[in-house]
Amino acid sequence: MAARSWRDHLPQGSRGPHRLILVREQDAQHSGSGCCGRLGEAHTDLGGAADYRHSRVLMQDIGAVYREVRARLPDLTVEVVDPRNTVWLYPAVWQDARAAGRSARECFAGLRRAGAALAVILDGEVLFSGRMPQTADVVAAIEQRLSGS
Amino acid sequence: MPAFYLIVITLGAFYLGYRFYSKYLAERVYALDPNFKTPANELADGVDFVPTNKHILLGHHFTAVAGAAPIVGPAIAVYWGWLPAIAWVILGTVFGAGVHDFGAIVTSARNRGQNIGTLSGKVISARASTLFLLIIFFLLTLVNAVFGVVMAILFEAHPGSVIPAVIVIPIAMCIGQWVYRMRGAVLIPSIIGLVLLYAAIPVGQMFPIHVDGLADMLGLSVRTTWVILIFAYTWVASRLPVWLLLQPRDYINGQQLLVALAVIFTGVVVGWDTITAPAVNDVAEGTKHWFPYLFITIACGAISGFHSLVASGTTSKQIANETDARYIGYGGAMGEGALALAAILACTAGLGSAADWNTAYASFGAASGGALDHFVTGVGHFLSNIGIDAALGASFAVVVVVTFAGTTMDTGVRLQRYILEEIAELAGFKALVGKTSLLTTLAVLIPLALALVPGGDSSGGKGFAFGQLWTLFGTTNQLTAGLALSVISVWVMARNRNPLAAIVPLTFLLFMTSWALILNLLDFLAQGSWMLLIMDAGIFVLTAWLIVEAVTALNRQRRTA
């Protein structure tokens, strides 16, 4: 039996040869650790939206990239993940970077920059971390990398 | 019996539950359709609606539902013996939490990702939305009260843990500056933060913090002094911007949860400890009996209504395929059950001999007042199995619990502020609207008053009512689960599927909750505990209201069908 890879776990129709990981905080994580501090969407409805405005801005910035990438590069696998999801994020970035032929040193450098409140990672390479330019420029950078691969 | 056997039995039962019962739920009850276009796909905007890999989403969902509550409940409930506690964790997870969490995701996903509050208004009745708001009000009041006491108990019993628990605050603030202001990546800072935090544990042991002097000056007990200091801290913390403390502390908490689970289970396996607690504890006549109190003492870890709030409205907006709901909802419930298992192991196999256990759990008051102390002592013992000093291990466990409890209180007070404002608006008290400081003060004073209610709990004659508060919190949490199960039941009936899988836990929970509330009511009346009596009566009214709403909605649906 063939070894299973992350692509086997993806929904049908999203198993392209390249993977884009968009890192940003999730709403579900917004109200503090522990079940008793999480009210999910009810938290936002009750007024929490104002508290987390800065995180929403980043979510919306990444959302714009997501929509643009989905429209222009439908075959590209796109994952959106919270930087606190360390169990998934770091192994995934490492695996993608190794699969793309990067050295261990480059892989470690990638890991160091991957977990930010906002990051754009293509095939294990961290294109933007912490800040990013306009959506069009981000998508152009992704397309440029893909055309060069 | 070796504690390891309990791990095998529990995880084996979870596996069978997932393999067979969740399959039944997926195929026969919720009738999952792999071709159904989920809200994540239909409304994909990359912000709220994002089709997400199920492994990623399980991580988000699990860390959102797991916290300190599945530790506290089981740590108290082993008072009745390890067998009732573990049996309820297994049965509750397999037939309650699994159905509830899984069902909340599916029901919400089939309703464009709406949350359970909105859905209850839509599926049950318009009044149910008000009911939801009131349940949340009681829930948050009790959450803040119990976690305030939890932290005070731990600081009093483990003064060596105060420095590491406090040092988390400046560490989190530095991470907050780095991540949100300087937009830096968090891997290295969070590792440094964790190392600094753990390095502070031996420092704390060398310089234990006692507040006896302050307590004497104020004429209060040490525990009361700690409770007041903790609520004063919460007032300040809840006024800070969330990016400064609340959010960055979450980066540390997430790692701590994983480290704690890993070391506890490793310690049990390496040490091959045996369970010294009795299977069923022959409790004294006249004390709280496990039936019905067990079912409200362990809420999180067996079934918790809080999960429906995360499952609906957020997780449901991100499932890429409807069939993923089984893995995420049922799987997340099992993860929480594993946390409860860890707490049961620590309090039944980590306290030393059977005589030590009997001393620790001599009465319900000692069990509840000392529950967290027992847990951290047990974890300390497990860590000693892997070569870490037991006192340092116990401090580590205190820091884990306190950072979760502190974050929960910070959020709880913020939310309570919003709810009080909403209630003030509804009631026409315009003077309160927009007064953040006043609202925060009220949000702190209400649970503080509850936390200071005298009672019979002690692990040294301190006389708090923690056990009673905890059971009230459990009833409110089960009430929230009841509301979600009502919505799920009505929705399943509307699809012409057999709703028994949801109706049975619903009926069980409402019956046990009502029974426990009535017993508590009589106790509080006899003791003259008026504040607890008012809380209990209020929750009982909400329960009766929910029963009427649920029966009416189910009957209406049955007639329609």
Side-chain angles (χ1 to χ4, degrees):
Chain A
M1 192 174 144
R4 288 168 71 82
S5 78
W6 56 268
R7 285 176 220 282
D8 298 324
H9 299 291
L10 293 175
Q12 294 294 326
S14 59
R15 297 187 184 185
H18 300 280
R19 175 159 70 172
L20 178 72
I21 298 175
L22 299 174
V23 181
R24 50 82 154 162
E25 293 182 337
Q26 303 274 341
D27 260 357
Q29 314 292 321
H30 274 177
S31 45
S33 277
C35 67
C36 305
R38 315 264 187 188
L39 292 192
E41 194 185 48
H43 182 257
T44 316
D45 291 349
L46 285 167
D51 286 342
Y52 296 94
R53 198 179 292 120
H54 56 287
S55 291
R56 286 294 295 184
V57 167
L58 298 184
M59 285 175 74
Q60 278 155 3
D61 288 349
I62 285 288
V65 172
Y66 178 90
R67 292 190 299 273
E68 193 65 16
V69 166
R70 275 266 144 272
R72 294 173 66 103
L73 303 162
D75 291 333
L76 181 64
T77 298
V78 185
E79 305 285 12
V80 182
V81 64
D82 188 287
R84 283 161 291 198
N85 195 342
T86 50
V87 174
W88 188 89
L89 175 63
Y90 294 110
V93 173
W94 177 271
Q95 190 182 15
D96 286 0
R98 293 300 283 170
R102 294 198 174 80
S103 67
R105 189 190 171 89
E106 287 171 319
C107 291
F108 276 117
L111 290 184
R112 199 168 51 76
R113 297 178 62 221
L118 174 153
V120 178
I121 307 161
L122 180 66
D123 292 336
E125 184 190 359
V126 181
L127 303 183
F128 304 100
S129 174
R131 298 174 202 276
M132 64 181 187
Q134 295 294 312
T135 303
D137 297 330
V138 175
V139 176
I142 294 167
E143 286 179 322
Q144 189 188 10
R145 288 294 197 292
L146 287 175
S147 63
S149 64
Chain B
M1 182 175 81
F4 180 69
Y5 291 176
L6 210 55
I7 298 179
V8 174
I9 292 167
T10 308
L11 298 185
F14 286 175
Y15 170 76
L16 293 175
Y18 184 81
R19 177 79 180 75
F20 298 105
Y21 194 57
S22 77
K23 185 168 185 276
Y24 162 76
L25 294 171
E27 292 174 358
R28 301 293 188 85
V29 181
Y30 301 138
L32 302 185
D33 176 5
N35 298 315
F36 170 72
K37 199 166 187 182
T38 62
N41 287 300
E42 189 185 351
L43 307 167
D45 61 1
V47 182
D48 296 309
F49 298 92
V50 187
T52 305
N53 177 322
K54 66 179 181 180
H55 301 295
I56 297 176
L57 198 49
L58 176 67
H60 294 162
H61 182 79
F62 176 63
T63 51
V65 299
I71 293 171
V72 183
I76 298 173
V78 293
Y79 168 65
W80 295 292
W82 62 263
L83 187 59
I86 200 66
W88 171 229
V89 166
I90 292 173
L91 293 172
T93 300
V94 171
F95 297 107
V99 177
H100 170 270
D101 298 12
F102 180 4
I105 295 177
V106 179
T107 310
S108 173
R110 286 277 175 164
N111 286 277
R112 296 172 74 87
Q114 288 177 317
N115 69 45
I116 217 72
T118 310
L119 282 175
S120 57
K122 186 174 150 187
V123 174
I124 297 179
S125 77
R127 290 180 304 271
S129 293
T130 310
L131 176 62
F132 174 72
L133 188 69
L134 291 171
I135 290 174
I136 296 295
F137 171 78
F138 278 92
L139 202 51
L140 290 172
T141 302
L142 287 161
V143 161
N144 292 331
V146 294
F147 281 114
V149 180
V150 159
M151 289 166 73
I153 288 171
L154 289 174
F155 282 157
E156 185 190 17
H158 299 269
S161 66
V162 177
I163 285 182
V166 170
I167 215 159
V168 174
I169 296 170
I171 291 173
M173 285 179 162
C174 291
I175 292 177
Q177 287 287 342
W178 175 255
V179 173
Y180 297 104
R181 288 284 165 185
M182 301 170 76
R183 299 287 184 88
V186 80
L187 180 65
I188 303 295
S190 65
I191 290 172
I192 294 171
L194 217 54
V195 170
L196 285 175
L197 174 60
Y198 293 154
I201 291 175
V203 176
Q205 293 294 314
M206 283 187 275
F207 303 102
I209 303 292
H210 298 276
V211 293
D212 305 52
L214 179 63
D216 286 345
M217 201 172 77
L218 297 171
L220 300 169
S221 73
V222 171
R223 194 175 293 181
T224 301
T225 307
W226 270 124
V227 168
I228 292 169
L229 287 174
I230 287 160
F231 274 97
Y233 150 78
T234 307
W235 191 95
V236 176
S238 69
R239 296 298 315 274
L240 296 175
V242 290
W243 64 263
L244 189 59
L245 176 61
L246 181 66
Q247 280 184 296
R249 187 162 51 188
D250 218 13
Y251 280 90
I252 300 169
N253 287 354
Q255 318 304 336
Q256 289 225 80
L257 179 67
L258 298 174
V259 173
L261 275 175
V263 296
I264 290 173
F265 286 116
T266 307
V268 171
V269 175
V270 171
W272 204 257
D273 291 294
T274 53
I275 292 174
T276 52
V280 178
N281 192 20
D282 191 14
V283 298
E285 191 73 28
T287 192
K288 285 188 192 299
H289 195 265
W290 68 271
F291 205 86
Y293 284 106
L294 171 68
F295 308 106
I296 52 163
T297 302
I298 304 181
C300 305
I303 176 168
S304 160
F306 263 112
H307 295 197
S308 67
L309 303 172
V310 174
S312 66
T314 46
T315 303
S316 62
K317 284 177 179 163
Q318 297 178 351
I319 57 166
N321 191 311
E322 194 178 42
T323 54
D324 294 349
R326 177 187 173 196
Y327 176 76
I328 296 157
Y330 208 92
M334 291 193 305
E336 175 112 324
L339 205 54
L341 167 66
I344 289 172
L345 291 173
C347 297
T348 57
L351 296 185
S353 66
D356 293 332
W357 190 90
N358 282 327
T359 307
Y361 283 91
S363 65
F364 186 76
S368 50
L372 261 296
D373 191 21
H374 304 149
F375 170 75
V376 300
T377 305
V379 173
H381 172 74
F382 292 150
L383 263 69
S384 72
N385 292 338
I386 51 175
I388 297 167
D389 178 73
L392 293 181
S395 263
F396 159 78
V398 172
V399 170
V400 173
V401 175
V402 166
T403 47
F404 270 101
T407 310
T408 302
M409 284 183 74
D410 185 342
T411 310
V413 168
R414 283 172 201 274
L415 286 165
Q416 195 70 307
R417 194 165 72 207
Y418 300 137
I419 291 178
L420 284 171
E421 190 164 18
E422 190 142 334
I423 290 172
E425 273 194 63
L426 285 172
F429 292 121
K430 300 288 179 201
L432 275 177
V433 178
K435 304 283 191 306
T436 308
S437 294
L438 186 57
L439 288 164
T440 307
T441 306
L442 279 176
V444 163
L445 285 181
I446 296 168
L448 173 63
L450 268 179
L452 294 178
V453 167
D457 292 4
S458 72
S459 53
K462 308 298 186 299
F464 267 77
F466 180 66
Q468 283 95 327
L469 283 176
W470 184 262
T471 53
L472 283 179
F473 163 67
T475 53
T476 322
N477 202 349
Q478 303 298 39
L479 206 55
T480 316
L483 186 65
L485 283 168
S486 305
V487 171
I488 294 165
S489 302
V490 172
W491 177 76
V492 170
M493 273 180 92
R495 299 186 74 205
N496 292 321
R497 296 278 166 177
N498 187 343
L500 272 182
I503 288 180
V504 169
L506 166 66
T507 310
F508 181 82
L509 282 187
L510 291 181
F511 180 71
M512 290 302 164
T513 301
S514 308
W515 188 359
L517 281 167
I518 290 169
L519 291 179
N520 270 341
L521 205 64
L522 297 174
D523 273 356
F524 298 148
L525 199 60
Q527 294 160 7
S529 300
W530 303 115
M531 205 155 165
L532 295 177
L533 182 84
I534 292 166
M535 284 297 283
D536 192 293
I539 299 165
F540 187 72
V541 168
L542 296 182
T543 310
W545 182 357
L546 174 58
I547 291 170
V548 171
E549 294 288 356
V551 170
T552 308
L554 286 166
N555 270 332
R556 189 174 55 234
Q557 191 55 52
R558 191 169 52 84
R559 282 197 299 272
T560 310

